[in-house]
Amino acid sequence: MSDIIDEVISSFKVSNIFINRDYLMPDYIPEELPHREDQIRKIAGILAPLYRGERPNNIFIYGLTGTGKTAVSKFVLSNLYKKFPNKFKYVYVNTRQTDTPYRVLADLLEALGVKVPFTGLSIAELYRRLVKAIKEYSLQVVIVLDEIDAFVKKYNDDILYRLSRINSEISKGKVSFIGITNDVKFVDSLDPRVKSSLSEEEIVFPPYNAEELEDILRKRAQMALKPGVLSDSVIRLCAALAAREHGDARRALDLLRVSAEIAERLRDSTVKEEYVYMAKDEIERDRVRDIILTLPFHSKLVLAAIVAKLLEEKNAVLTTGNVYEAYLSISKKLGIEAITQRRVSDILNELDMVGLLTARVVNRGRYGKTKEISLAVDKNIIIKTLTESDNRFADLWG
DNA sequence: CCTCCACTGGAAACTGCGGCAT
DNA sequence: ATGCCGCAGTTTCCAGTGGAGG
């Protein structure tokens, strides 16, 4: 009995591909960040006043996904902190994960050593406590707000406005902000007061080109993978595929990692080029799966309605009204109370946003204005995942 | 040039839940 | 015990809107 388990464990432990898979994980921050030297120098320069206990300027960082914004920010801060831990304190908040005003403030307080209930208080109360905490705190505080564009889009710039005013509520300036955003146009949509206060310094992260991506991959692969499992052509392929999508380093690393995982799963001793293509599909499938599984119930229902409509009528032109009809018939079939068309219209926009479908607004003259909707992913994956997530969907299709 | 379709998308408010302060 | 809070998903109401067909 136990030798079976030993066997399983040892085959799991002894990898013929990986030395340490962690070096290819998206949240790993390496010792060096190739091709980001300029940005590191600039940010470190702006933050240098921390050393004299003075308040650095606020920074706004722009760049597309996977251009190293988060990694560089964390890298500079943690290295500065290692050099003089008694001069300042920094807090990192990803506002996509921590995605409500309450939780953002609660996280900031937590990091300053103030524990707050995870619900129940008013936002105003949290601000009060935050200002008090900062006032009483003896050091400079640097607050990193990652992906604030998404946050501000869903709520508004109220938090930013109030946060940016904290310094004026305290006699002496003690808080600096680093705002990180994927959306270059985002800053223009801000309240001018917030804008001028928060973007005292601006830093742009350009996308990596294919050569730079290769370089990054090569360095990571050296640490993560055993020598000889990876050929140059595989690295070039991963880099090229990622470069095609605006030079996204995270995507490149994901491709490489998953390709290597496939090689391991197949008990191969080298990563073949075909595994990279398999990895690409697998990443896409997992992404779609994760999105669908976390969808609210009625969003799933809307998705099911679209697929059902497409199954019964191959070349159906899908419009909002159209989809709503299909939605009504499905919810009736399942005995579920239907939501309004207004809400379904928003759900369609949401499904568009997460990339499951494309909904573009068209004007069809005499025949009105509506959204034309088409699926952006393979409908078999949708059917499979919907059925898996809730067996009520099972008998909607043959 | 005007009409009028089939919606769009903004705004406000509601519901129901979990949970705090007092 | 009471009342107020945040939040997600939703309803209700409604003032637009671009262009095919007259």
Side-chain angles (χ1 to χ4, degrees):
Chain A
M1 239 355 187
S2 74
D3 32 311
I4 299 177
I5 292 169
D6 282 349
E7 190 192 310
V8 172
I9 288 175
S10 74
S11 76
F12 184 75
K13 260 162 67 178
V14 178
S15 167
N16 48 354
I17 297 286
F18 289 108
I19 298 169
N20 189 344
R21 189 166 150 274
D22 293 345
Y23 294 129
L24 293 178
M25 296 305 276
D27 52 357
Y28 171 72
I29 294 178
E31 300 293 314
E32 52 180 308
L33 292 156
H35 309 291
R36 290 285 98 122
E37 291 81 5
D38 285 355
Q39 286 79 7
I40 291 172
R41 197 164 290 130
K42 260 190 220 160
I43 295 176
I46 295 166
L47 294 177
L50 286 171
Y51 176 66
R52 295 193 304 265
E54 288 163 18
R55 191 191 82 88
N57 281 339
N58 295 329
I59 309 173
F60 233 99
I61 297 178
Y62 314 93
L64 298 172
T65 50
T67 50
K69 305 181 296 295
T70 305
V72 165
S73 310
K74 284 185 170 174
F75 174 87
V76 172
L77 281 164
S78 78
N79 277 296
L80 280 175
Y81 192 74
K82 262 181 238 157
K83 288 209 165 55
F84 22 93
N86 304 319
K87 299 285 187 182
F88 74 103
K89 172 123 188 164
Y90 71 94
V91 191
Y92 171 87
V93 181
N94 183 313
T95 60
R96 189 189 284 278
Q97 285 152 225
T98 307
D99 66 343
T100 72
Y102 190 99
R103 290 219 296 278
V104 168
L105 290 171
D107 270 22
L108 294 179
L109 280 160
E110 203 98 346
L112 293 174
V114 182
K115 56 177 167 51
V116 288
F118 69 95
T119 176
L121 300 183
S122 70
I123 299 281
E125 174 63 17
L126 255 53
Y127 272 114
R128 250 200 50 232
R129 293 191 187 188
L130 182 63
V131 173
K132 183 162 168 269
I134 289 172
K135 205 180 280 183
E136 282 167 8
Y137 202 77
S138 53
L139 305 178
Q140 289 285 326
V141 180
V142 178
I143 294 175
V144 185
L145 299 171
D146 204 347
E147 307 198 60
I148 23 169
D149 45 333
F151 186 88
V152 169
K153 222 168 277 168
K154 204 54 225 158
Y155 298 89
N156 46 47
D157 53 12
D158 191 54
I159 291 211
L160 293 186
Y161 177 65
R162 297 177 75 165
L163 283 177
S164 69
R165 289 201 46 223
I166 285 183
N167 279 322
S168 52
E169 288 184 38
I170 309 169
S171 48
K172 183 180 162 229
K174 278 183 26 187
V175 197
S176 308
F177 293 97
I178 299 180
I180 304 179
T181 161
N182 302 317
D183 182 358
V184 185
K185 292 174 297 174
F186 162 73
V187 159
D188 298 326
S189 70
L190 288 175
D191 183 317
R193 287 170 299 181
V194 177
K195 184 183 171 185
S196 66
S197 134
L198 241 41
S199 57
E200 292 168 334
E201 309 277 353
E202 299 187 357
I203 294 172
V204 177
F205 280 59
Y208 295 108
N209 62 36
E211 285 159 55
E212 291 169 340
L213 286 173
E214 281 176 39
D215 211 32
I216 292 167
L217 289 178
R218 214 165 275 133
K219 289 208 166 88
R220 294 283 190 99
Q222 223 163 52
M223 300 189 293
L225 303 178
K226 296 203 165 170
V229 300
L230 207 58
S231 67
D232 231 38
S233 63
V234 169
I235 287 186
R236 267 200 303 276
L237 181 56
C238 290
L241 289 175
R244 208 178 293 165
E245 305 278 325
H246 65 256
D248 183 339
R250 192 174 51 207
R251 188 160 234 69
L253 287 162
D254 280 346
L255 274 173
L256 186 61
R257 190 191 74 247
V258 176
S259 304
E261 284 168 1
I262 290 171
E264 181 156 76
R265 218 180 297 150
L266 298 177
R267 314 252 159 155
D268 201 335
S269 57
T270 60
V271 180
K272 307 270 196 303
E273 275 182 55
E274 52 182 299
Y275 300 166
V276 179
Y277 293 106
M278 288 163 66
K280 198 180 162 216
D281 289 346
E282 190 173 310
I283 290 168
E284 172 66 6
R285 269 204 313 279
D286 286 353
R287 200 194 112 244
V288 170
R289 215 184 87 93
D290 288 350
I291 291 169
I292 293 178
L293 288 178
T294 56
L295 242 34
F297 182 68
H298 282 288
S299 303
K300 290 180 186 170
L301 222 48
V302 171
L303 204 52
I306 293 169
V307 173
K309 179 87 184 169
L310 246 30
L311 284 178
E312 84 183 37
E313 202 182 329
K314 188 81 176 72
N315 294 322
V317 180
L318 296 171
T319 65
T320 306
N322 223 343
V323 169
Y324 189 60
E325 270 174 41
Y327 163 84
L328 284 180
S329 95
I330 283 196
S331 46
K332 195 172 175 191
K333 210 178 292 176
L334 299 182
I336 289 152
E337 212 176 323
I339 56 173
T340 55
Q341 181 168 330
R342 175 69 184 84
R343 179 62 190 134
V344 169
S345 174
D346 275 347
I347 287 177
L348 288 170
N349 285 341
E350 288 161 25
L351 293 175
D352 180 320
M353 207 98 78
V354 296
L356 291 181
L357 49 80
T358 45
R360 43 182 259 278
V361 178
V362 290
N363 278 293
R364 299 187 303 170
R366 187 81 292 228
Y367 307 103
K369 184 193 203 186
T370 184
K371 280 195 266 273
E372 253 174 31
I373 296 140
S374 55
L375 285 180
V377 300
D378 180 10
K379 62 173 175 282
N380 294 315
I381 300 175
I382 297 178
I383 293 173
K384 192 162 159 264
T385 314
L386 281 177
T387 313
E388 173 195 338
S389 82
D390 194 319
N391 54 14
R392 276 177 289 177
F393 289 116
D395 34 77
L396 285 178
W397 20 72

